[in-house]
């Protein structure tokens, strides 16, 4: 009887999981290049009518726009494009197949690369539990260097877990580095990049990597949106937001209501919130939340980074996203002609350009560099802008990783290691340039200016007295 009951419960749980899993069977992925504003408007109309699910949140003329179309909408979608004389290219015939391929365990007998480190390697993508377990393994193996840290809880009460890597706990003048991974759930390459950097920090004998690892106290969080990340494994591979259900609403005839069960965490930070490139519609992928910093994940990151900022100087805050291969520099809400808004914009630009150049040398992968208005689209309420504005962080980037849209969010696992190798090259060059510009000796231009001003004002005050 007991066994039967357990069986029934298991069947019920299983049925429930299956019922929730969104299949992309026979969904097609199309690419459309709008040539002018009319074309853009046609695509916006298609988007607003829920005829396709767009990978690009914003698009302009000449952009590569990628659109997933479910089988029942296919004819209407193609008909509408034909009417508007827009060319369309079929990229994938069955998206679910690409999703399976990305998650499928390798066939027995496949040779693993020699790059495994404890229970992780970079031949596959790993889920939250596996990543968190790996972090525990590192803390156990390197007790004097690695400590696990929980910065807070997610909406569904999961730990937001990371590690601190500190080779010099005795140091008093702390220089700090922070790596933020997977704020957007479906951008799996972000997690795989950060875990690789951790492995390099702990194992590399390259003097430049050693300097990068040991000169800073590192705070590294591979997955800051754990609920969303879990949901990309169990519910919907294409999920972007967190899993807050407090704004649940009906999303209209053509959009699944589940779309309203989440806030875009990279629009939720309390800096110029909801001013540009964000939405107040819970059914949008860009939903900024009901109020600034409404989400526990946003609050946890903000609080944690503020505390770090009190303890030392944050040299780097790097948020890893995908896809489109770019270094984005603060601030993201400003127009092109306001690009100098961040105090050390010129330095951040130079550092990123040199980093991108170095990155491209290994495999020819090309990254662009600039503020969001120039390379992406203006946006507000992002984490890396918030950090730059409210803490002492010197260099803050949002890095969009591979690729340019060939696979987009579904980057094959075979590209993880090439991606990681080139990104590491770029980061090492970044650190060398940062050092050259004097950031480690606390003598960057704005600081000298600030110190001089203090001295001059001080002298004036003395003279006046
Ligand atoms: Zn993202």
């Amino acid at each position: 009887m007991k066994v039967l009951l357990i069986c029934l419960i298991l069947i019920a749980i299983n049925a429930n999981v299956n019922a929730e899993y969104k299949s992309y069977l026979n969904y097609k992925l199309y690419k459309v290049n709008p040539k002018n504003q009319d074309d853009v408007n046609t695509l916006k109309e298609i988007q607003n009518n829920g005829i396709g699910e767009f990978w690009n949140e914003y698009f302009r003329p000449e952009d590569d726009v990628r659109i997933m179309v479910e089988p029942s909408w296919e004819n209407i979608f193609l008909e509408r494009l034909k009417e508007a004389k827009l060319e369309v290219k079929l990229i994938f015939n069955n998206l679910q197949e690409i999703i399976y391929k990305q998650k499928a365990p390798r066939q027995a007998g496949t040779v693993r690369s020699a790059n495994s480190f404890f229970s992780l390697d970079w031949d596959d993508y790993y889920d939250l539990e596996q990543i968190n377990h790996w972090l525990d393994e590192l803390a156990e193996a390197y007790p004097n260097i690695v400590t696990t840290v929980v910065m807070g809880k997610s909406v569904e009460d999961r730990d937001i877990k990371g590690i601190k890597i500190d080779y010099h706990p005795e140091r008093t003048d702390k220089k700090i580095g922070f790596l933020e991974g997977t704020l957007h759930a479906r951008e799996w390459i972000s997690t795989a990049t950060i875990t690789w950097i951790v492995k390099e920090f702990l194992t590399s004998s390259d003097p430049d990597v050693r300097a990068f690892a040991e000169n800073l106290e590192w705070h590294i969080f591979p997955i800051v949106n754990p609920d969303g990340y879990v949901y990309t494994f169990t519910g919907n591979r294409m999920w972007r937001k967190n899993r807050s259900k407090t704004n649940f609403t009906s999303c209209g005839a053509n959009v699944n209501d589940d779309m309203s069960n989440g806030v875009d965490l990279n629009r939720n930070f309390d800096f110029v919130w909801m001013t540009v490139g964000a939405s107040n519609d819970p059914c949008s992928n860009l939903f900024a939340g009901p109020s600034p910093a409404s989400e526990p994940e946003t609050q946890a990151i903000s609080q944690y980074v503020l505390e770090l900022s009190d303890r030392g100087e944050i040299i780097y805050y790097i948020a890893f996203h995908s896809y489109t291969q770019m270094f984005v520099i603060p601030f993201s809400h400003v127009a092109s002609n306001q690009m100098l808004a961040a105090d050390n914009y010129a330095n951040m630009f130079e550092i990123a350009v040199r980093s991108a150049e170095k990155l491209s040398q290994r495999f020819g992968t090309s990254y662009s560099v600039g503020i969001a208005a120039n390379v992406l689209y203006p946006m507000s309420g992002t984490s890396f802008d918030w950090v730059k504005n409210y803490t002492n962080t010197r260099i803050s980037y949002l890095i969009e990783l591979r690729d340019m849209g060939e696979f987009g969010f579904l980057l094959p696992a075979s590209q993880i290691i090439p991606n990681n190798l080139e990104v590491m090259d770029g980061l090492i060059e970044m650190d060398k340039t940062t050092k050259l510009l004097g950031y480690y000796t606390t003598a960057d231009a704005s600081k000298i200016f600030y110190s001089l001003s203090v001295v001059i004002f001080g002298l004036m005050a003395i003279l006046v007295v």
Side-chain angles (χ1 to χ4, degrees), residues 183-187 240 264 266 320-323 398 400 409:
L183 192 62
H184 287 146
R186 63 191 173 188
E187 298 164 8
R240 167 184 168 99
D264 182 352
N266 213 29
F320 290 95
H321 289 251
S322 75
Y323 61 98
L398 183 158
E400 297 276 9
F409 306 116

